[in-house]
Amino acid sequence: MLKDLFGKKKKYASIPGENAKKDVPEGLMQKCGGCKKIFYQKELIKNLNVCPECGHHHQISAYDRIHILFDEGSFEEWDKDLLSQNPLQFPQYEEKLEKDRIKTGLNEAVVTGEGKIHESRTAIAIMDSRFRMGSMGSVVGEKIARAIERAREEKMPIIIFTASGGARMQEGILSLMQMAKTSIAIQRLHRENGLFISVMTNPTTGGVSASFASIGDYHFAEPGALIGFAGRRIIEQTIREKLPKDFQTAEFQLKHGQVDKVIPRGEMRDTLGTILDIHGFGGETVESSAGV
Amino acid sequence: MNQVLEFEKPVIELREKIEELKAMTKDSDIDLSDEISKMEERLAKLENDIYGKLKPWDRVQIARHANRPTTLQYIEQLFTNFIEFHGDRLFGDDAAMVAGIAKYKGKPVTIIGHQRGENTKENLKRNFGMAHPEGYRKALRHMKQAEKFNRPIITFIDTKGAYPGKAAEERGQSEAIARNLMEMAGIKVPIICVVIGEGGSGGALGIGVGDRIHMLENSTYSVISPEGAAALLWKDSGQAEKAAKSLRITAPDLKELDVIDEVIPEPLGGAHRDMVTQALSISKVLDKSLRELEEENETSLLEKRWEKYKQIGEVQSSIEKVEV
């Protein structure tokens, strides 16, 4: 009928296309990488970038981690001035570094320094996977080794948060040798009974997993973090079988005896504070239950 | 049967022709000695041209040559009274890693090395020289023993890498390698490492922290295989040749980068052409290193080992350029 042409509501609701779905306003909303639900970014940040629904731990920047970990205003950064060169004259390496410097506001993939957790003084190295996948080249190796050495000399504990895809390919053999450099530094620390706490966050693989990250007095991991030596795809190609979904997760490593404890981000500061306290590094005691 | 590599085909063809002519001279009355000597001159020149200017990719091919001598073959040439020991005392025995004790010029040593197979059947047994965690833990057990009984350690590196498998991950491949790096830093006896074939990333380094690091002229040592790098960088493993050059993985490259101590020369065409000569040139360098390291006391040995690795890498301060 003619009247149907006028004034009638559309019978069907329009469904946004695939592209529109992804079109979450930048900086306002964020989709959870775990449950895929959409949250206000502020809400996620308030929750330490951990999904309030499913508990998925999103990556956080090195400075955000420093902020949630240390007593306010206690952090002092070391060796911020160290910059990577292009020792092999590897094609396009400098451009990639420059791009990541602009993107992240960092000079390299690790931030080192010292600060206080519940008033216990500690050295720290925090990797940031947004910079070249957190890969370890000369500067990352050097900064970490220097931080370990300084912790040893000043009789401080050291905590290292790893987030790295492994060695940095563009620095070739020099990257590989950073595994040795950092591990020898850790050996020197252990020799003098220094305390080293390794906290593996998503991802901790390859040359970082197979060096300093795996030789701590305590090995902790954030829930769901990818931790392993070889990449999943390489293993699947090599053994010609599909790997289980939980393969190389923090929980998998806990089950296989490689980590001491999986610690949610919200409990990290208190747990680390307690350990530093038990080891006699001063500060206030965080009592979790009454002692006898 | 000797495997012939692409770049050396002209040499092999000419060599075969000379052999043919020689056979002809023997069987008939025709005297071809003039031609033969001319061709032999040409061969010498060709060999120099080809083997004298090896490209990185050529060296990769030689390092991977099916007939390239293995750890056990060098052990037989270099040492006396070698006895191999098995097992990590924790899980099992890894045939991709060999360990044992022997005498070198009359003195006791501990020997550790990756072991490839000399043929397909043996390669299956030895997992192509790609070790599992138990291999690295066996190596460490023997290094600790060497320390206890005060004998130097010699390691032979020859692996594509630590095995990327499910079981290897479950048993802590990362931890096994990491622990070796750390423990090798503190072992109070001299450690001499020789890369004899492929030095594949963390799997090579897992027995590669020492006081002297040497490489055979045509061996390689790299953070990633050229194929792997090409696949990651250019999504095309076919560009491995280009990656081999960019990554700087040859012995002369590593010498220039100050990562290794000495480049051990190989016979023309590679170690597989003359294993006995090759063993002699390894021995020369080994002997020199052992003598030098005998002079060190425990403290200076460990301090210098640290200094050696501490200086590797290139960093720049935004304040001033520094070599570390």
Side-chain angles (χ1 to χ4, degrees):
Chain A
M1 288 286 132
L2 194 65
K3 65 174 184 182
D4 287 346
L5 287 173
F6 303 97
K8 265 241 166 172
K9 275 187 187 166
K10 261 199 282 181
K11 274 184 180 162
Y12 309 102
S14 62
I15 296 164
E18 275 304 306
N19 284 333
K21 266 189 202 166
K22 283 184 210 147
D23 208 14
V24 181
E26 185 98 8
L28 183 64
M29 309 293 281
Q30 194 183 322
K31 194 172 173 183
C32 170
C35 63
K36 314 282 179 214
K37 280 196 183 134
I38 292 165
F39 297 92
Y40 280 108
Q41 207 166 53
K42 271 188 186 159
E43 193 185 353
L44 273 177
I45 290 169
K46 212 179 125 200
N47 204 35
L48 312 175
N49 258 335
V50 177
C51 175
E53 289 278 329
C54 72
H56 181 79
H57 281 53
H58 296 93
Q59 289 172 10
I60 63 170
S61 75
Y63 287 116
D64 282 344
R65 204 181 278 285
I66 285 165
H67 182 71
I68 63 176
L69 209 59
F70 285 113
D71 301 349
E72 209 175 324
S74 71
F75 180 73
E76 178 199 312
E77 189 168 349
W78 298 338
D79 298 315
K80 199 182 177 171
D81 57 306
L82 295 189
L83 300 174
S84 288
Q85 306 195 74
N86 188 2
L88 308 188
Q89 301 302 314
F90 207 92
Q92 284 129 41
Y93 182 38
E94 279 136 347
E95 289 88 330
K96 283 177 177 163
L97 287 170
E98 187 55 30
K99 223 173 104 189
D100 281 3
R101 278 188 206 116
I102 292 163
K103 187 179 84 186
T104 62
L106 297 167
N107 272 345
E108 253 300 338
V110 69
V111 174
T112 60
E114 65 165 276
K116 285 179 176 171
I117 298 175
H118 288 301
E119 304 214 332
S120 299
R121 186 173 168 239
T122 183
I124 191 116
I126 299 181
M127 303 186 84
D128 194 318
S129 62
R130 295 170 308 151
F131 195 104
R132 299 275 87 223
M133 274 294 285
S135 58
M136 177 162 63
S138 298
V139 169
V140 171
E142 178 70 11
K143 282 175 85 169
I144 289 173
R146 281 192 196 182
I148 298 164
E149 278 285 286
R150 196 155 160 186
R152 180 182 63 80
E153 282 160 11
E154 299 186 23
K155 304 217 175 299
M156 262 190 282
I158 182 161
I159 304 168
I160 305 182
F161 280 79
T162 52
S164 173
R168 188 167 300 169
M169 198 169 40
Q170 289 89 347
E171 291 189 34
I173 193 74
L174 300 178
S175 292
L176 187 74
M177 291 299 156
Q178 302 309 311
M179 291 170 67
K181 187 199 274 187
T182 51
S183 299
I184 301 174
I186 291 290
Q187 201 273 338
R188 288 161 64 81
L189 179 85
H190 285 319
R191 216 189 297 164
E192 295 183 18
N193 295 333
L195 170 65
F196 165 36
I197 302 171
S198 174
V199 187
M200 301 174 221
T201 74
N202 190 42
T204 297
T205 58
V208 165
S209 157
S211 65
F212 61 89
S214 294
I215 44 178
D217 293 295
Y218 303 106
H219 292 174
F220 299 140
E222 281 195 335
L226 171 73
I227 301 164
F229 176 68
R232 169 183 282 264
R233 205 164 43 90
I234 305 272
I235 299 172
E236 285 183 338
Q237 280 168 4
T238 307
I239 64 173
R240 294 198 182 88
E241 65 178 90
K242 264 281 193 235
L243 293 164
K245 199 163 167 267
D246 75 334
F247 190 69
Q248 293 181 322
T249 57
E251 294 72 18
F252 170 94
Q253 298 296 357
L254 182 74
K255 189 176 140 200
H256 288 93
Q258 294 300 327
V259 302
D260 288 284
K261 199 171 163 59
V262 175
I263 303 176
R265 197 170 287 159
E267 295 167 24
M268 193 63 81
R269 173 176 148 88
D270 285 353
T271 310
L272 291 174
T274 305
I275 290 171
L276 296 180
D277 176 51
I278 289 172
H279 278 266
F281 288 101
E284 64 197 37
T285 308
V286 189
E287 294 284 354
S288 57
S289 58
V292 181
Chain B
M1 242 308 275
N2 245 342
Q3 173 198 1
V4 175
L5 304 172
E6 197 57 40
F7 69 87
E8 60 179 1
K9 270 191 180 152
V11 174
I12 308 298
E13 278 163 14
L14 190 56
R15 202 179 280 151
E16 276 167 3
K17 252 180 218 153
I18 293 170
E19 291 306 315
E20 267 173 42
L21 288 185
K22 275 184 182 165
M24 263 172 75
T25 321
K26 221 188 214 172
D27 298 340
S28 60
D29 298 334
I30 318 158
D31 180 21
L32 293 167
S33 55
D34 264 9
E35 279 80 357
I36 290 173
S37 70
K38 260 184 210 159
M39 280 174 88
E40 276 175 338
E41 264 174 48
R42 238 177 76 204
L43 178 68
K45 193 178 169 296
L46 194 64
E47 279 184 330
N48 263 323
D49 282 353
I50 289 182
Y51 294 128
K53 291 185 263 213
L54 289 175
K55 292 194 277 294
W57 187 244
D58 300 336
R59 293 196 199 271
V60 169
Q61 302 308 308
I62 297 177
R64 292 174 179 172
H65 199 285
N67 306 108
R68 192 159 175 88
T70 67
T71 296
L72 283 175
Q73 286 174 309
Y74 285 126
I75 289 176
E76 200 186 312
Q77 296 288 325
L78 287 164
F79 305 97
T80 54
N81 310 95
F82 175 69
I83 308 169
E84 189 186 344
F85 302 119
H86 296 273
D88 68 346
R89 300 289 190 276
L90 296 162
F91 178 80
D93 185 47
D94 190 344
M97 185 80 78
V98 293
I101 57 173
K103 280 191 164 182
Y104 179 70
K105 295 191 190 287
K107 289 182 183 168
V109 290
T110 283
I111 308 160
I112 289 157
H114 300 107
Q115 183 62 38
R116 282 180 295 114
E118 285 165 38
N119 51 54
T120 310
K121 196 179 156 208
E122 204 200 339
N123 253 326
L124 289 175
K125 177 185 147 202
R126 298 202 179 271
N127 204 26
F128 296 84
M130 295 191 283
H132 278 74
E134 49 272 26
Y136 294 100
R137 289 173 183 143
K138 169 164 75 174
L140 181 59
R141 184 170 77 82
H142 284 280
M143 289 190 258
K144 290 278 187 186
Q145 197 182 72
E147 182 180 42
K148 179 181 175 190
F149 296 109
N150 197 29
R151 52 182 179 246
I153 299 161
I154 297 151
T155 76
F156 292 103
I157 294 168
D158 188 15
T159 185
K160 288 184 182 305
Y163 188 63
K166 187 167 176 255
E169 295 286 328
E170 287 168 346
R171 297 201 285 273
Q173 189 73 289
S174 284
E175 194 273 348
I177 292 170
R179 177 159 305 277
N180 279 18
L181 305 186
M182 178 177 75
E183 295 289 358
M184 288 180 92
I187 297 268
K188 296 184 190 94
V189 291
I191 304 174
I192 299 163
C193 312
V194 187
V195 186
I196 59 170
E198 284 183 276
S201 200
L205 193 62
I207 58 165
V209 176
D211 306 296
R212 294 287 185 277
I213 317 295
H214 305 307
M215 281 176 78
L216 296 196
E217 190 185 343
N218 295 315
S219 62
T220 58
Y221 201 170
S222 179
V223 70
I224 186 169
S225 72
E227 288 84 355
L232 280 176
L233 282 169
W234 306 299
K235 313 271 173 258
D236 176 12
S237 60
Q239 296 209 48
E241 189 170 347
K242 186 173 147 196
K245 191 162 170 258
S246 300
L247 283 167
R248 304 202 56 192
I249 62 178
T250 69
D253 283 331
L254 267 77
K255 176 72 183 159
E256 209 184 301
L257 290 165
D258 253 346
V259 172
I260 59 163
D261 295 281
E262 289 202 39
V263 178
I264 302 173
E266 290 192 23
L268 216 56
H272 59 284
R273 298 240 174 254
D274 187 350
M275 184 171 55
V276 178
T277 307
Q278 185 63 74
L280 281 174
S281 55
I282 294 175
S283 188
K284 224 187 253 173
V285 176
L286 206 55
D287 190 40
K288 181 172 163 246
S289 296
L290 282 168
R291 278 169 203 276
E292 287 165 359
L293 294 167
E294 256 174 23
E295 307 289 313
E296 307 285 349
N297 63 40
E298 284 178 8
T299 317
S300 71
L301 191 71
L302 296 195
E303 201 55 36
K304 283 182 184 171
R305 198 177 292 161
W306 162 236
E307 291 292 334
K308 181 181 179 62
Y309 287 90
K310 197 178 149 195
Q311 57 84 29
I312 299 179
E314 233 175 299
V315 307
Q316 184 189 318
S317 163
S318 47
I319 306 160
E320 57 172 330
K321 193 175 163 178
V322 283
E323 289 265 338
V324 294

